[in-house]
Amino acid sequence: MVDKGVLQTIEVVSFDYGQKHRKELTCAKSLAQVLDLRWELIDLTSFGPQLRSSLTTPHVPIPEGHYAAENMKQTVVPNRNAIFLSVAAGIAISRDLNTVAAAYHTGDHAIYPDCRPAFIDSFNRMLALATEWTPVRVQAPYIKTSKAGILKAGLKLGVPYEKTWTCYVGLDAACGRCGTCVERLEAFEENGADDPLVYSDRRYWKTVVDV
Ligand SMILES: [Zn+2]
């Protein structure tokens, strides 16, 4: 059972920007229901096709391998987090909430500049000017934690990982070969835990990670 003690004032928003991995949206909804939290889907579907990214462009395949590899830059969605955080900040202010939380982690830093501490610091400076009368700030509590570290905390809290989604490819089963699948399987291995998701290829990750 998940500890809901600290979640009383949290509300959840997810973004539909035409991502191939839209299964994450139903998973987010399902997790919000487990926690009895308000959840809303922000419709950016007309915006997504304008973006150049393998995550939103049907004929561009999702790269396989480890996040350290150069080809993973194909998964960058231009300016994604500044867009999402701006929308979320507007919603937070409108609901008299003072914090927007986002779960970036250290594995994101290499190829996603908008997941780094410097970006969050700068974004908050911008927000302080943009929302002077109704201050709202972004917090990224896991920005200095690895995916394995977040998983460790989640396992302790009893997070139902069978209701979570990570794979970028967009099929029913997780591929096991994209950067985010590789990182997830590596994190479960580091924690000595079994990932409850079904994978098309559960062994590939070991060929691209130093173990
Ligand atoms: Zn995958």
Side-chain angles (χ1 to χ4, degrees):
M1 186 57 120
V2 176
D3 179 1
K4 291 166 62 177
V6 296
L7 299 177
Q8 297 307 313
T9 58
I10 290 181
E11 300 182 358
V12 185
V13 291
S14 297
F15 294 89
D16 186 344
Y17 56 104
Q19 65 269 50
K20 294 173 184 170
H21 56 294
R22 54 185 308 102
K23 196 168 175 178
E24 69 175 6
L25 301 174
T26 48
C27 286
K29 183 179 184 181
S30 161
L31 281 170
Q33 283 170 344
V34 168
L35 296 164
D36 198 22
L37 299 176
R38 178 179 179 180
W39 176 84
E40 263 171 273
L41 186 60
I42 308 301
D43 185 355
L44 298 179
T45 48
S46 61
F47 166 67
Q50 316 299 324
L51 302 172
R52 186 181 60 207
S53 169
S54 65
L55 300 193
T56 52
T57 311
H59 65 273
V60 179
I62 304 289
E64 297 179 348
H66 194 272
Y67 265 128
E70 186 66 19
N71 64 347
M72 287 296 155
K73 285 186 179 161
Q74 294 165 26
T75 66
V76 170
V77 177
N79 204 29
R80 175 171 53 178
N81 290 333
I83 294 162
F84 288 0
L85 291 176
S86 289
V87 172
I91 294 170
I93 290 169
S94 303
R95 295 180 186 173
D96 295 321
L97 301 171
N98 59 16
T99 302
V100 171
Y104 314 126
H105 61 90
T106 56
D108 291 330
H109 297 177
I111 59 158
Y112 301 121
D114 58 354
C115 291
R116 296 174 186 157
F119 165 73
I120 299 299
D121 292 345
S122 295
F123 194 87
N124 274 331
R125 284 200 294 279
M126 180 278 289
L127 268 183
L129 296 171
T131 67
E132 186 179 349
W133 315 120
T134 47
V136 62
R137 296 291 175 270
V138 174
Q139 285 193 18
Y142 297 115
I143 203 160
K144 293 180 179 170
T145 308
S146 67
K147 191 173 270 192
I150 295 171
L151 179 65
K152 186 179 179 183
L155 290 167
K156 213 169 164 181
L157 286 168
V159 171
Y161 279 103
E162 71 281 2
K163 292 180 186 291
T164 66
W165 192 252
T166 305
C167 181
Y168 275 158
V169 172
L171 300 175
D172 240 12
C175 77
R177 301 174 70 93
C178 70
T180 187
C181 274
V182 165
E183 205 173 35
R184 175 174 172 135
L185 286 164
E186 186 182 11
F188 270 91
E189 175 89 355
E190 273 184 57
N191 279 280
D194 286 326
D195 188 343
L197 293 189
V198 174
Y199 283 86
S200 300
D201 186 344
R202 233 176 219 277
R203 289 192 292 270
Y204 168 81
W205 73 272
K206 288 192 178 182
T207 67
V208 292
V209 169
D210 293 328
V211 288

